[in-house]
Amino acid sequence: MKIYGLKNCDTCRKALKKIENSTLVDIRADGMPEGLLEAAHAQFGAKLVNTRSTTWRGLSEQERASAPLALLREHPALMKRPLIDRDGELFLGWDQNTQAALGGT
């Protein structure tokens, strides 16, 4: 199972600690596999962009109006984290529902 996020993100570290046999992929350093960002956007839509982040607050109105996928490629830290890939099944965030589905409670 792969957890896509940032190595210094507390939520990503919590997920990594709770999910056995998982690997953290730092999206800032390593990027994301071809097609994963598109698949995540198709499934989660606007929820994929974290509009509460400091990165988002630092963007201009013109940048915020950009297409979500272009924004996420330019600013990986804008992605809501973690994005968890379990054999092609995607989960976004580390809430109670995700924890229950992945057995990380």
Side-chain angles (χ1 to χ4, degrees), residues 24-81:
L24 178 67
V25 177
D26 188 325
I27 58 174
R28 193 179 281 153
D30 304 323
M32 291 181 67
E34 190 68 34
L36 181 62
L37 191 59
E38 291 79 3
H41 185 259
Q43 182 173 339
F44 302 111
K47 289 188 231 175
L48 191 59
V49 178
N50 183 0
T51 57
R52 295 170 42 186
S53 71
T54 54
T55 304
W56 177 263
R57 289 189 295 253
L59 296 177
S60 69
E61 287 299 320
Q62 183 179 355
E63 288 174 306
R64 290 179 185 182
S66 301
L69 290 175
L71 265 176
L72 291 169
R73 283 189 187 97
E74 182 73 24
H75 305 281
L78 275 177
M79 185 180 83
K80 180 163 176 58
R81 302 176 299 270

Side-chain angles (χ1 to χ4, degrees), residues 88-101:
E89 185 179 14
L90 299 177
F91 300 88
L92 186 62
W94 188 242
D95 60 13
Q96 289 179 337
N97 295 333
T98 300
Q99 291 177 37

Side-chain angles (χ1 to χ4, degrees), residues 8-24:
N8 60 347
C9 171
D10 290 338
T11 307
C12 293
R13 286 193 295 228
K14 286 178 190 174
L16 184 64
K17 194 175 197 180
K18 291 283 187 177
I19 302 172
E20 292 181 15
N21 301 317
S22 61
T23 307
L24 178 67

